[in-house]
């Protein structure tokens, strides 16, 4: 079995995930994990599958002719060194242009690897604007100074609330 990752985007409509899952299943593949979302009238995401190596060309052909989605496939890399520990960072505050860039720049300065990053902007009528919320799962080395990271993240804005909790080994 060969590990593959595919990304997808297209106009949202019913049955998209089912058509992909059927294609993978009919070729003897296994759907290992996915992250799929509706955004601004489109459906987007990425999926990890395992597929018999001899069926890869068939799947590429099926996906390249999908009538509703643009799909890209890449081979998975199972030879990467494992990350040891991770922390979850929850962030909330008034939205402003560049907030994601500021957050990720700080994570990059600390040489941290983002494993997962989810963000939203919701209406905050009491504040008269948008409320930014983000969850980041980040790989850290043993003994990493979480207080210093929290201080740096909170320095982005005086209304930013940052909560960092240790998760587990990744």
């Amino acid at each position: 079995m060969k590990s593959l990752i595919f990304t997808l985007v297209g106009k949202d409509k019913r049955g998209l995930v089912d058509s992909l899952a059927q294609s993978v299943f009919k070729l003897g593949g296994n759907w290992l994990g996915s992250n799929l979302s509706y955004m601004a009238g489109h459906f987007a995401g990425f999926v990890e599958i395992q597929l018999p190596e001899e069926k890869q060309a068939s799947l590429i052909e099926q996906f390249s002719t999908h009538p509703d989605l643009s799909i890209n496939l890449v081979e998975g890399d199972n030879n990467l060194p494992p990350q040891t520990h991770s922390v979850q960072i929850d962030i909330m505050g008034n939205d402003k242009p560049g907030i994601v860039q500021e957050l990720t720049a700080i994570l990059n300065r600390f040489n941290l690897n983002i494993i997962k990053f989810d963000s939203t902007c919701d209406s905050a009528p009491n504040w008269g604007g948008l409320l930014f919320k983000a969850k980041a799962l980040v790989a850290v080395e043993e003994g990493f100074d979480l207080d210093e990271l929290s201080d740096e993240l909170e320095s982005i804005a005086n209304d930013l609330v940052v909560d960092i909790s240790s998760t587990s080994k990744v």
Side-chain angles (χ1 to χ4, degrees), residues 45-62:
F46 55 92
V47 179
E48 179 183 8
I49 63 170
Q50 284 185 331
L51 191 72
E53 195 162 347
E54 66 275 7
K55 304 286 184 153
Q56 185 175 347
S58 295
L59 186 69
I60 290 170
E61 172 63 27
Q62 287 181 33

Side-chain angles (χ1 to χ4, degrees), residues 9-153:
V9 67
K11 203 80 163 138
D12 188 39
K13 73 179 225 181
R14 289 187 178 108
L16 292 176
V17 176
D18 182 49
S19 70
L20 300 172
Q22 283 187 34
S23 294
V24 170
F25 177 73
K26 287 178 182 176
L27 292 171
N30 187 22
W31 188 292
L32 298 176
S34 57
N35 191 335
L36 307 166
S37 295
Y38 171 85
M39 295 182 138
H42 285 79
F43 189 70
F46 55 92
V47 179
E48 179 183 8
I49 63 170
Q50 284 185 331
L51 191 72
E53 195 162 347
E54 66 275 7
K55 304 286 184 153
Q56 185 175 347
S58 295
L59 186 69
I60 290 170
E61 172 63 27
Q62 287 181 33
F63 281 4
S64 68
T65 59
H66 196 288
D68 300 305
L69 294 171
S70 173
I71 301 172
N72 294 306
L73 277 118
V74 295
E75 289 186 22
D77 185 356
N78 296 329
N79 296 319
L80 295 174
Q83 302 289 343
T84 54
H85 295 279
S86 65
V87 295
Q88 179 169 307
I89 305 170
D90 293 297
I91 301 158
M92 183 175 61
N94 286 321
D95 186 42
K96 66 177 186 171
I99 192 167
V100 172
Q101 181 277 320
E102 291 178 75
L103 293 169
T104 56
I106 289 171
L107 296 175
N108 189 46
R109 272 200 311 271
F110 280 87
N111 199 28
L112 298 175
N113 186 34
I114 299 171
I115 299 167
K116 185 173 184 170
F117 186 88
D118 294 317
S119 66
T120 61
C121 283
D122 297 317
S123 177
N126 295 344
W127 294 356
L130 292 175
L131 182 64
F132 174 80
K133 294 179 186 176
K135 282 186 187 280
L137 185 64
V138 179
V140 297
E141 297 294 326
E142 185 79 38
F144 181 80
D145 187 350
L146 296 176
D147 291 332
E148 186 179 351
L149 175 62
S150 183
D151 291 345
E152 281 291 316
L153 291 169

